Every structure is written in C-alpha cells, then in structure tokens.
Amino acid sequence: MKKIMSYVLLFALIFTFLPTYASTAAALYEKKAEVLSVLNILKGDEDGFRLESSPTRLEAVIIMLRLTGNESAAVEKNLHHPFTDVPDWAGAYAGYAFASGITSGVSETRFGTDEELTANQFITFVLRALGYNDLNGDFDVDGALEFARGRKIITSDVDTDNFKRKDIVSVLYDVLGANVNNSDLTFAKRLKALGVFTDEDEIKATKIIADFVS
C-alpha cells in the first residue's frame, strides 16, 4: 500500500512538471498518448495513435463515454440507433450516446461519424464530463477553450485552426489534473473511482512518465 501511495503522489507531481522535460514536442505528445492509453482513456490502432490525424465526431463521443465511465455499459447494452453512417463496430457507442442524450446526431439518420471536430466542440464534451453544463449557462460552446483556460483546466497549447488528435491528447492530459466542477476531487481520481483505470494502471502510467523525464 505504501508503494502504491508513493506512485500516486509521483503521478500527481509529474502531471504538473512533465512539459518542462520534453526533449521534442512530438515525443511529448507520444508519451502523453501512451499514458492516456494505459489509463484506458485513449486507444490507438494498427497505425498507432495517429496524432497528426484530424479527430472525428465518432471518436469524440467514444472518448466522452470513457470519461464518464460508461463505455462498458454502452458495449453491454448495445442499444439500437437510427443512424446509417455508423460502422457495425461502433454501433453500441452510437446507440448509447443517442439513448442517453449525449448526441442526437447531425440529422435523423446521420450520426456524423466522419465529420471533423473543432477544438471547442471537443472541449465542450470534456467540460460536460467535468460537470459543467452549457445548457444551464456555465459556458458557451463557441468559447469552450477560453472558458477552460480561464479555469486553468487546460494549460497546454491547442491549435484551434488545425485541430488534431495530438491536441486531444494535450487536452485530455491536462484535464486529468483538473478538479471536477464544485469539487476538490481531481478528474483522475474520479475516473479511478468509476473504474476506468486501476491503481496498477496508475503505477504503469507513472512509470512511463518517470522514465521519460529521467
């Protein structure tokens, strides 16, 4: 238990200081992506993390489900959806997002699977996962990044003109250390409480960071 606690403390500290140790920007993005992968937040594929690719609406919704601890429920329930542009492998995610009101799609029959996402659109998803509600006036979607910066939720550079998956990595990494709205609980702790990742996953993530900055 003492060993686990020491790793947890190091985990929190390195999230604050990691950017100052980066030898190159590309290496830093890759390392942050590895951490997010170990913590079951971001997934790669046979082509790796594709950090220079533009993120899609479907990818954002899947990440949203992970950030709210609902990915397992989505897969288990495999709910029906009305969209014709969702691939079979993603049907459960689209069905759950549709049924729970996370998204209604871009039309009655189109989910907008491959539509590229803007920075403010993605950060809106993240802020909602943190407990902020744009419908209640907590923030405006078009000013989501500005709001997140003002609250120190996001401190990394984000390319709003050419938003890429590497920008998603930076946003998600920053958010782990941010507090849930109206709470002293960090988002990382909340995700662990929801079962998104375990103590062992956290130790692995900490080792990735520690090896990188050493």
Side-chain angles (χ1 to χ4, degrees):
M1 178 61 72
K2 185 178 293 185
K3 183 177 181 181
I4 289 177
M5 287 303 297
S6 65
Y7 270 113
V8 170
L9 290 173
L10 182 61
F11 183 70
L13 287 171
I14 292 179
F15 271 137
T16 303
F17 297 113
L18 176 58
T20 64
Y21 287 91
S23 56
T24 67
L28 177 58
Y29 286 126
E30 192 70 29
K31 203 56 60 175
K32 287 182 177 181
E34 287 180 29
V35 169
L36 293 169
S37 178
V38 167
L39 297 179
N40 301 312
I41 297 170
L42 184 74
K43 303 297 183 183
D45 56 25
E46 63 274 9
D47 297 316
F49 296 113
R50 296 184 289 109
L51 298 180
E52 294 298 331
S53 298
S54 297
T56 65
R57 180 180 171 82
L58 177 60
E59 290 172 339
V61 168
I62 293 174
I63 290 173
M64 177 67 173
L65 292 176
R66 290 176 186 147
L67 293 180
T68 53
N70 288 314
E71 182 177 19
S72 294
V75 173
E76 289 170 7
K77 293 183 178 181
N78 196 21
L79 298 173
H80 173 74
H81 64 80
F83 308 117
T84 59
D85 62 335
V86 175
D88 289 343
W89 67 265
Y93 296 102
Y96 191 92
F98 178 71
S100 59
I102 292 175
T103 181
S104 57
V106 298
S107 74
E108 291 184 358
T109 58
R110 288 187 61 251
F111 186 80
T113 294
D114 294 323
E115 290 190 9
E116 293 183 5
L117 208 67
T118 68
N120 280 320
Q121 287 172 338
F122 181 73
I123 293 167
T124 292
F125 279 128
V126 170
L127 289 173
R128 288 172 182 169
L130 280 170
Y132 295 95
N133 191 327
D134 51 305
L135 297 180
N136 289 342
D138 289 346
F139 69 97
D140 180 75
V141 173
D142 291 334
L145 176 57
E146 182 180 356
F147 176 86
R149 287 204 185 285
R151 295 296 180 96
K152 304 293 191 237
I153 295 169
I154 296 172
T155 59
S156 298
D157 291 334
V158 176
D159 190 341
T160 55
D161 295 325
N162 193 24
F163 192 60
K164 300 293 186 182
R165 281 174 61 90
K166 65 183 181 182
D167 295 301
I168 280 184
V169 165
S170 290
V171 169
L172 293 175
Y173 193 92
D174 283 353
V175 168
L176 286 174
N179 285 350
V180 175
N181 189 26
N182 295 321
S183 171
D184 292 330
L185 186 70
T186 66
F187 197 52
K189 288 183 179 179
R190 180 179 181 181
L191 291 178
K192 186 161 67 171
L194 289 171
V196 175
F197 63 85
T198 64
D199 283 333
E200 289 72 22
D201 295 329
E202 192 170 5
I203 290 171
K204 290 178 184 177
T206 303
K207 189 175 187 306
I208 291 171
I209 304 166
D211 288 346
F212 185 63
V213 302
S214 61

